[in-house]
Amino acid sequence: MNDAAKLIYDGKEYVFPIKRGSVGPSVLDISRFFQESGAFTYDPGFTSTASCESSLTFIDGDKGVLLYRGYPIEQLAEHGDFLETCFLLLYGDLPTLKQKNEFVPLITRHTMLHEQLIRFYQGFRRDAHPMSIMVAVVGALSAFYHDSIDINDPKQRVLATLRLIAKMPTIAATAYKYSVGHPYVYPRNDLDYTSNFLHMCFSVPCEPYDINPVLSRALDRIFILHADHEQNASTSTVRLAGSSGANPFACIAAGIACLWGPAHGGANEAALRMLQQIGTPDRIPEFIKRAKDPNDNFRLMGFGHRVYKNYDPRARIMQQTAHEVLNELGVRDDPLMAVAMELEHIALNDEYFIQKRLYPNVDFYSGITLRALGFPLSMFTVLFALARSIGWIAQWKEMIEDPRQKIGRPRQLYTGAAPRDYIPLEQR
Ligand code: SDX
């Protein structure tokens, strides 16, 4: 097996070392190409570009495989829990019982927010999209927790990591309470991570709130599914922001902003709005036709993926979880579930979708479950951000701890005006 690739450019031969991973595609190391040739490589959207080395998450898009530190997502979703997954992504292996018993209380004891942070919420309109609040409040954490923003101090990096994992549910729940005009609910240390989040979202001071263990387990599983996903757009945003030395709270706020887009994490909200717009199975052909029309920018939200050219393994678990939650809530024949399953069936048997290898992704079924759990559509991407925070933080940690890391600074193909002289105003 050769360990170099050759390229002829402008009559000269260039040799690129090939780096091979533990599994998956190899890479051609072209980092010296511009220095030696004066030309750039060109890859808008990074369809063929590996931006870094990572040992966190592996995706095989053709086979529909997703591994966190080598463990298949199906096994983690079935047997694990979200905080265990956080430990796995941060430290490389599943925690022992002793490690888990030490890790969980560390998170629990950081779930409260600085009381003055609550005032930030009052500055927003009640109908502000909760993602705008998430970007603002998470970015503002760096104004309150000065003892965990020095990225060169390992102890401060750990403290920032614990605070972000612990406070994201409190920030998210407080954004929800603000939007519905309810009093904020403080975290409770006697509840597990996800039960505590449900409690902060849905309990009210006037009466007890009983946690449904089936629903809490389902949401915890949804968090596991969303925890990390290689170098997706928001994770790449966090890495790029972190490469400048920005503090971790600012980097995570940048990731939240990027995730908001409907092509990325915003697709779960957009997918449910699409299902509501379709309304009944008999209207599906009209929307399939629009999705295939090159002159119509309508797309089936929750369908298609840059990497998965097979069924997103998370979507399969999301569909199973949707059925589990609807059954637990006694919801028979949810009309949107009927539309979603019929839409999937029709699309997966349609030549256009088969040829372009478009399958349901993680966002296709999640909205049905989140709505059934009681969350408004505007909170769907907030929940995605809550769960993905561990992936962003773990990827940021991996980058910061890499002695080779440097500021990310892509170049361009310039197609603008050639050099020209200034024209005085009276001559224009
Ligand atoms: C997430 O990267 C990650 O890992 C993301 C994520 C994560 O966990 O971080 O998995 C989470 O963001 C999932 C994706 C959620 N987005 C959506 O569901 C929005 C709808 N999907 C599309 O916008 C699209 O599929 C993307 C953005 C997800 C992927 O876009 P690509 O890889 O750039 O592919 P493309 O836009 O070039 O599409 C290829 C072809 C195009 O047709 P042609 O121009 O070649 O003729 O497929 C068509 C597209 O028009 N196409 C679709 C479609 N998605 C792609 N046609 C109809 N409906 C769709 N959903």
Side-chain angles (χ1 to χ4, degrees):
M1 189 188 302
N2 62 11
D3 56 6
K6 292 178 183 168
L7 170 95
I8 308 290
Y9 168 71
D10 240 1
K12 191 178 169 195
E13 182 179 280
Y14 296 89
V15 179
F16 304 114
I18 295 174
K19 295 169 76 85
R20 300 185 194 283
S22 41
V23 284
S26 299
V27 299
L28 278 59
D29 182 345
I30 57 161
S31 46
R32 297 181 53 78
F33 182 59
F34 173 63
Q35 195 178 330
E36 293 173 6
S37 72
F40 300 133
T41 58
Y42 183 66
D43 183 17
F46 311 121
T47 52
S48 301
T49 294
S51 61
C52 63
E53 266 184 47
S54 178
S55 60
L56 270 74
T57 293
F58 175 73
I59 303 171
D60 181 327
D62 289 331
K63 295 186 184 133
V65 168
L66 171 58
L67 310 175
Y68 291 166
R69 299 285 195 176
Y71 294 99
I73 190 66
E74 296 83 354
Q75 295 180 28
L76 292 169
E78 185 178 349
H79 303 299
D81 63 43
F82 182 66
L83 282 188
E84 189 174 76
T85 303
C86 291
F87 186 98
L88 171 66
L89 287 168
L90 284 171
Y91 303 117
D93 221 321
L94 291 167
T96 61
L97 181 61
K98 179 174 180 297
Q99 286 170 325
K100 190 171 181 178
N101 289 339
E102 287 165 357
F103 182 68
V104 172
L106 285 177
I107 301 297
T108 305
R109 305 203 67 77
H110 282 286
T111 48
M112 282 210 305
L113 292 183
H114 189 296
E115 196 64 13
Q116 279 179 235
L117 259 173
I118 301 293
R119 293 188 199 159
F120 277 71
Y121 291 81
Q122 265 95 33
F124 287 93
R125 288 173 37 156
R126 291 279 179 176
D127 62 352
H129 195 292
M131 282 297 278
S132 60
I133 297 177
M134 293 299 290
V135 173
V137 174
V138 172
L141 293 174
S142 53
F144 288 82
Y145 298 108
H146 296 126
D147 58 343
S148 57
I149 54 176
D150 177 357
I151 63 161
N152 299 307
D153 178 348
K155 288 193 177 60
Q156 294 200 30
R157 294 204 299 267
V158 170
L159 186 51
T161 297
L162 296 174
R163 279 175 167 152
L164 279 159
I165 298 169
K167 296 181 193 311
M168 283 300 280
T170 314
I171 294 168
T174 304
Y176 168 63
K177 283 303 202 185
Y178 185 71
S179 73
V180 294
H182 285 188
Y184 314 122
V185 177
Y186 287 94
R188 272 179 44 186
N189 292 352
D190 61 319
L191 297 176
D192 65 69
Y193 188 85
T194 301
S195 298
N196 188 29
F197 176 63
L198 286 170
H199 157 75
M200 290 190 285
C201 287
F202 298 124
S203 74
V204 289
C206 345
E207 58 190 44
Y209 173 74
D210 298 327
I211 305 282
N212 179 321
V214 173
L215 303 184
S216 179
R217 172 72 193 125
L219 186 56
D220 193 77
R221 184 186 310 133
I222 290 171
F223 289 164
I224 294 173
L225 296 178
H226 288 82
D228 192 45
H229 212 240
E230 202 208 70
Q231 305 311 317
N232 59 84
S234 53
T235 297
S236 299
T237 300
V238 171
R239 278 180 171 262
L240 199 54
S243 73
S244 76
N247 74 71
F249 304 114
C251 295
I252 301 304
I256 296 171
C258 177
L259 184 77
W260 195 357
H264 191 12
N268 56 15
E269 176 180 343
L272 197 90
R273 291 191 193 284
M274 175 190 73
L275 294 175
Q276 289 175 326
Q277 189 186 4
I278 295 172
T280 52
D282 61 305
R283 291 196 61 204
I284 289 173
E286 171 195 334
F287 285 84
I288 294 273
K289 184 166 179 283
R290 286 190 57 195
K292 293 156 63 172
D293 178 355
N295 301 315
D296 188 332
N297 63 10
F298 172 80
R299 287 197 167 178
L300 287 186
M301 301 315 282
F303 255 79
H305 199 278
R306 171 62 60 76
V307 178
Y308 289 121
K309 302 307 173 190
N310 198 323
Y311 209 104
D312 182 335
R314 303 168 297 175
R316 210 182 297 286
I317 303 169
M318 284 305 297
Q319 188 196 97
Q320 293 159 5
T321 303
H323 284 301
E324 185 185 319
V325 166
L326 292 173
N327 289 338
E328 175 64 18
L329 294 168
V331 177
R332 303 277 174 254
D333 310 324
D334 178 283
L336 294 187
M337 189 64 169
V339 170
M341 293 186 72
E342 180 61 12
L343 176 57
E344 175 188 332
H345 174 73
I346 294 173
L348 296 191
N349 291 284
D350 181 291
E351 195 43 44
Y352 174 90
F353 293 87
I354 294 168
Q355 189 265 322
K356 291 184 187 292
R357 304 178 74 190
L358 301 173
Y359 291 83
N361 59 49
V362 67
D363 294 310
F364 188 60
Y365 287 103
S366 57
I368 291 170
T369 309
L370 299 178
R371 187 180 68 127
L373 288 172
F375 293 103
L377 274 65
S378 61
M379 281 293 291
F380 291 179
T381 309
V382 171
L383 298 181
F384 194 151
L386 187 167
R388 183 53 57 88
S389 297
I390 179 55
W392 291 329
I393 297 158
Q395 297 268 355
W396 172 81
K397 174 179 182 288
E398 183 178 64
M399 179 199 67
I400 292 287
E401 291 173 353
D402 180 348
R404 299 163 301 176
Q405 79 93 11
K406 54 176 71 172
I407 190 166
R409 206 288 187 204
R411 302 299 301 273
Q412 64 181 8
L413 173 67
Y414 177 67
T415 55
R420 52 183 170 167
D421 295 326
Y422 182 83
I423 302 168
L425 183 58
E426 62 276 7
Q427 293 175 29
R428 288 178 219 157

